[in-house]
Amino acid sequence: MIVAIDGPAGTGKSSTSKAVAAQLGLSYLDTGAQYRAITWWMVSNGIDIDDPSAIAAAAGKPEIVSGTDPESPAITVDGVDVAGPIRTQEVSSKVSAVSAVPEVRTRITELQRSIAASAEQGIVVEGRDIGTTVLPDADLKIFLTASPEARAARRSGELKGSDVHSTREALIKRDAADSSRKASPLAKADDAVEVDTTELTLAQVIECVVTLVEEKRAGK
Protein backbone atom coordinates (compact mmCIF):
# COMPACT_ATOMS: atom_id res chain seq x y z
CA MET A 1 0.00 0.00 0.00
CA ILE A 2 1.60 3.23 -1.16
CA VAL A 3 -0.10 6.44 -0.02
CA ALA A 4 1.02 9.75 -1.58
CA ILE A 5 0.17 12.91 0.36
CA ASP A 6 0.93 16.19 -1.40
CA GLY A 7 0.20 19.84 -0.76
CA PRO A 8 1.79 23.18 0.05
CA ALA A 9 3.49 24.05 3.36
CA GLY A 10 1.33 24.51 6.44
CA THR A 11 -1.53 22.21 5.40
CA GLY A 12 -0.66 19.61 8.04
CA LYS A 13 1.10 17.18 5.68
CA SER A 14 3.85 16.05 8.04
CA SER A 15 1.77 15.71 11.18
CA THR A 16 -1.00 13.91 9.29
CA SER A 17 1.34 11.60 7.37
CA LYS A 18 3.29 10.54 10.46
CA ALA A 19 0.14 9.88 12.48
CA VAL A 20 -1.57 7.92 9.68
CA ALA A 21 1.55 5.79 9.10
CA ALA A 22 1.91 5.08 12.84
CA GLN A 23 -1.78 4.22 13.21
CA LEU A 24 -1.84 1.86 10.22
CA GLY A 25 1.57 0.23 10.70
CA LEU A 26 3.09 1.76 7.57
CA SER A 27 6.52 3.25 6.93
CA TYR A 28 6.79 7.04 6.51
CA LEU A 29 8.90 9.26 4.28
CA ASP A 30 9.21 13.03 4.51
CA THR A 31 10.51 13.95 1.05
CA GLY A 32 10.79 17.63 1.95
CA ALA A 33 13.40 16.70 4.56
CA GLN A 34 15.51 15.16 1.78
CA TYR A 35 15.44 18.38 -0.22
CA ARG A 36 16.25 20.30 2.94
CA ALA A 37 19.12 17.89 3.62
CA ILE A 38 20.72 18.39 0.21
CA THR A 39 20.21 22.16 0.59
CA TRP A 40 21.88 22.08 4.03
CA TRP A 41 24.81 20.19 2.49
CA MET A 42 25.14 22.74 -0.33
CA VAL A 43 25.12 25.66 2.13
CA SER A 44 27.57 23.91 4.48
CA ASN A 45 29.96 23.18 1.63
CA GLY A 46 29.93 26.68 0.19
CA ILE A 47 28.09 25.83 -3.04
CA ASP A 48 26.69 28.98 -4.69
CA ILE A 49 22.90 28.62 -4.33
CA ASP A 50 22.41 31.21 -7.09
CA ASP A 51 24.33 29.08 -9.59
CA PRO A 52 22.20 26.15 -10.87
CA SER A 53 25.19 24.62 -12.69
CA ALA A 54 27.21 24.53 -9.45
CA ILE A 55 24.28 22.90 -7.65
CA ALA A 56 23.85 20.40 -10.49
CA ALA A 57 27.54 19.47 -10.42
CA ALA A 58 27.41 18.76 -6.68
CA ALA A 59 24.00 17.01 -6.60
CA GLY A 60 25.46 13.48 -6.54
CA LYS A 61 28.00 14.08 -3.77
CA PRO A 62 26.16 13.94 -0.40
CA GLU A 63 24.98 10.58 0.93
CA ILE A 64 21.45 11.06 2.24
CA VAL A 65 19.85 8.35 4.38
CA SER A 66 16.22 8.62 5.51
CA GLY A 67 14.78 6.60 8.38
CA THR A 68 11.16 5.55 7.77
CA ASP A 69 9.88 5.00 11.32
CA PRO A 70 6.91 7.39 11.73
CA GLU A 71 7.52 7.57 15.50
CA SER A 72 11.05 8.91 15.03
CA PRO A 73 11.85 9.79 11.41
CA ALA A 74 15.62 10.27 11.14
CA ILE A 75 17.73 11.81 8.39
CA THR A 76 21.50 11.86 8.00
CA VAL A 77 23.87 13.40 5.47
CA ASP A 78 27.26 11.69 5.17
CA GLY A 79 26.55 10.02 8.52
CA VAL A 80 25.69 13.28 10.33
CA ASP A 81 22.26 13.67 11.98
CA VAL A 82 20.74 16.77 10.35
CA ALA A 83 17.14 16.55 11.65
CA GLY A 84 17.63 19.84 13.52
CA PRO A 85 19.92 21.84 11.19
CA ILE A 86 17.70 21.33 8.12
CA ARG A 87 14.83 23.23 9.81
CA THR A 88 16.68 26.56 10.10
CA GLN A 89 15.40 29.69 8.36
CA GLU A 90 18.56 29.76 6.23
CA VAL A 91 17.78 26.33 4.77
CA SER A 92 14.06 27.16 4.44
CA SER A 93 14.86 30.26 2.40
CA LYS A 94 17.11 28.36 -0.04
CA VAL A 95 15.39 24.99 -0.48
CA SER A 96 13.15 26.12 -3.38
CA ALA A 97 16.15 27.27 -5.41
CA VAL A 98 18.07 24.04 -4.82
CA SER A 99 15.08 21.75 -5.40
CA ALA A 100 14.25 23.47 -8.70
CA VAL A 101 17.50 22.16 -10.26
CA PRO A 102 16.61 19.13 -12.44
CA GLU A 103 19.72 17.15 -11.44
CA VAL A 104 18.76 17.51 -7.76
CA ARG A 105 15.20 16.37 -8.46
CA THR A 106 16.40 13.36 -10.46
CA ARG A 107 18.78 12.31 -7.68
CA ILE A 108 16.22 12.70 -4.88
CA THR A 109 13.35 11.18 -6.89
CA GLU A 110 15.41 8.02 -7.49
CA LEU A 111 16.14 7.84 -3.75
CA GLN A 112 12.44 8.26 -2.91
CA ARG A 113 11.34 5.57 -5.35
CA SER A 114 13.85 3.06 -3.98
CA ILE A 115 12.69 3.72 -0.40
CA ALA A 116 9.02 3.30 -1.38
CA ALA A 117 9.76 0.10 -3.31
CA SER A 118 11.55 -1.46 -0.33
CA ALA A 119 8.81 -0.67 2.25
CA GLU A 120 7.46 -4.17 2.93
CA GLN A 121 4.40 -3.12 4.95
CA GLY A 122 3.58 -0.17 2.71
CA ILE A 123 4.45 3.50 3.13
CA VAL A 124 3.02 7.00 3.44
CA VAL A 125 5.10 9.40 1.33
CA GLU A 126 4.54 13.13 1.75
CA GLY A 127 5.76 15.95 -0.43
CA ARG A 128 4.83 18.22 -3.31
CA ASP A 129 5.16 16.05 -6.42
CA ILE A 130 4.63 12.51 -5.11
CA GLY A 131 1.32 11.72 -6.82
CA THR A 132 2.28 13.47 -10.05
CA THR A 133 5.96 12.61 -10.55
CA VAL A 134 7.62 10.44 -7.92
CA LEU A 135 4.96 7.73 -7.43
CA PRO A 136 2.32 8.24 -10.14
CA ASP A 137 1.09 4.66 -9.56
CA ALA A 138 0.50 5.16 -5.81
CA ASP A 139 -2.51 3.20 -4.51
CA LEU A 140 -4.01 6.33 -2.97
CA LYS A 141 -3.23 10.00 -3.65
CA ILE A 142 -4.33 12.78 -1.31
CA PHE A 143 -3.83 16.52 -1.85
CA LEU A 144 -4.12 18.65 1.30
CA THR A 145 -5.04 22.33 0.96
CA ALA A 146 -5.83 25.18 3.37
CA SER A 147 -6.24 28.94 3.17
CA PRO A 148 -3.01 30.99 3.29
CA GLU A 149 -4.22 32.50 6.60
CA ALA A 150 -4.76 29.12 8.25
CA ARG A 151 -1.43 27.83 6.98
CA ALA A 152 0.45 30.91 8.17
CA ALA A 153 -1.13 30.66 11.62
CA ARG A 154 -0.08 27.00 11.90
CA ARG A 155 3.40 27.57 10.58
CA SER A 156 4.06 30.60 12.80
CA GLY A 157 2.83 28.52 15.74
CA GLU A 158 5.50 25.95 14.81
CA LEU A 159 8.14 28.65 14.40
CA LYS A 160 7.87 30.16 17.85
CA GLY A 161 7.92 33.94 17.88
CA SER A 162 7.48 34.37 14.12
CA ASP A 163 5.08 36.95 12.78
CA VAL A 164 1.96 35.55 11.05
CA HIS A 165 1.97 38.21 8.32
CA SER A 166 5.60 37.64 7.30
CA THR A 167 5.07 33.86 7.54
CA ARG A 168 2.05 34.17 5.21
CA GLU A 169 4.11 36.19 2.70
CA ALA A 170 6.92 33.62 2.85
CA LEU A 171 4.46 30.75 2.28
CA ILE A 172 2.86 32.46 -0.72
CA LYS A 173 6.31 33.14 -2.18
CA ARG A 174 7.32 29.49 -1.63
CA ASP A 175 4.06 28.25 -3.25
CA ALA A 176 4.69 30.44 -6.30
CA ALA A 177 8.26 29.16 -6.65
CA ASP A 178 7.25 25.51 -6.22
CA SER A 179 4.21 25.72 -8.51
CA SER A 180 6.02 27.47 -11.35
CA ARG A 181 9.28 25.51 -11.48
CA LYS A 182 9.84 23.51 -14.68
CA ALA A 183 10.94 20.31 -12.94
CA SER A 184 8.10 18.52 -11.12
CA PRO A 185 6.06 21.52 -9.96
CA LEU A 186 3.74 21.43 -6.95
CA ALA A 187 0.47 20.19 -8.46
CA LYS A 188 -2.56 18.09 -7.65
CA ALA A 189 -2.70 14.75 -9.48
CA ASP A 190 -5.86 14.26 -11.55
CA ASP A 191 -6.82 11.21 -9.50
CA ALA A 192 -5.99 12.69 -6.07
CA VAL A 193 -8.59 13.18 -3.34
CA GLU A 194 -8.50 16.83 -2.23
CA VAL A 195 -8.92 17.50 1.50
CA ASP A 196 -9.31 21.14 2.60
CA THR A 197 -7.92 21.33 6.15
CA THR A 198 -8.73 25.01 6.80
CA GLU A 199 -11.63 24.33 9.18
CA LEU A 200 -10.46 20.91 10.42
CA THR A 201 -8.49 19.99 13.53
CA LEU A 202 -5.42 17.81 13.06
CA ALA A 203 -7.33 14.87 14.60
CA GLN A 204 -10.11 15.31 12.03
CA VAL A 205 -7.65 15.40 9.13
CA ILE A 206 -5.93 12.24 10.40
CA GLU A 207 -9.29 10.49 10.80
CA CYS A 208 -10.31 11.50 7.28
CA VAL A 209 -7.09 10.17 5.73
CA VAL A 210 -7.14 6.93 7.76
CA THR A 211 -10.71 6.33 6.51
CA LEU A 212 -9.62 6.91 2.89
CA VAL A 213 -6.73 4.44 3.29
CA GLU A 214 -8.92 1.81 4.93
CA GLU A 215 -11.55 2.14 2.20
CA LYS A 216 -8.85 1.73 -0.43
CA ARG A 217 -7.47 -1.34 1.37
CA ALA A 218 -10.97 -2.82 1.46
CA GLY A 219 -11.27 -2.28 -2.28
CA LYS A 220 -14.15 0.21 -2.08
Side-chain angles (χ1 to χ4, degrees), residues 88-218:
T88 62
Q89 187 54 47
E90 183 180 26
V91 170
S92 296
S93 66
K94 292 174 175 164
V95 68
S96 284
V98 173
S99 58
V101 176
E103 288 81 358
V104 170
R105 297 210 76 79
T106 299
R107 162 89 200 283
I108 300 293
T109 296
E110 285 171 359
L111 181 59
Q112 290 161 1
R113 285 176 179 158
S114 69
I115 291 169
S118 62
E120 293 175 7
Q121 305 301 319
I123 191 167
V124 178
V125 184
E126 60 129 321
R128 285 170 162 72
D129 65 339
I130 310 307
T132 51
T133 303
V134 180
L135 300 166
D137 298 326
D139 300 291
L140 176 63
K141 301 175 189 176
I142 294 169
F143 193 85
L144 298 184
T145 62
S147 70
E149 291 71 24
R151 292 164 48 214
R154 288 172 193 162
R155 188 44 69 92
S156 58
E158 290 167 16
L159 309 167
K160 298 289 181 277
S162 65
D163 156 21
V164 175
H165 178 72
S166 59
T167 302
R168 179 177 178 274
E169 295 305 310
L171 285 175
I172 290 171
K173 187 176 174 186
R174 173 92 193 263
D175 290 348
D178 290 347
S179 301
S180 60
R181 65 172 177 240
K182 289 188 175 66
S184 305
L186 165 66
K188 176 180 171 243
D190 293 338
D191 54 348
V193 179
E194 186 167 324
V195 179
D196 188 333
T197 69
T198 305
E199 303 292 335
L200 301 178
T201 64
L202 177 58
Q204 288 171 323
V205 179
I206 293 165
E207 184 184 356
C208 173
V209 174
V210 165
T211 301
L212 288 168
V213 175
E214 288 177 335
E215 285 177 353
K216 194 74 183 179
R217 272 179 166 172

Side-chain angles (χ1 to χ4, degrees), residues 13-25:
K13 277 199 315 285
S14 294
S15 304
T16 300
S17 300
K18 276 187 279 199
V20 169
Q23 205 167 315
L24 297 175

Side-chain angles (χ1 to χ4, degrees), residues 23-47:
Q23 205 167 315
L24 297 175
L26 302 172
S27 295
Y28 160 75
L29 179 61
D30 174 359
T31 64
Q34 295 175 314
Y35 284 106
R36 285 174 171 275
I38 199 165
T39 301
W40 173 85
W41 184 90
M42 298 275 175
V43 171
S44 302
N45 285 275
I47 307 297

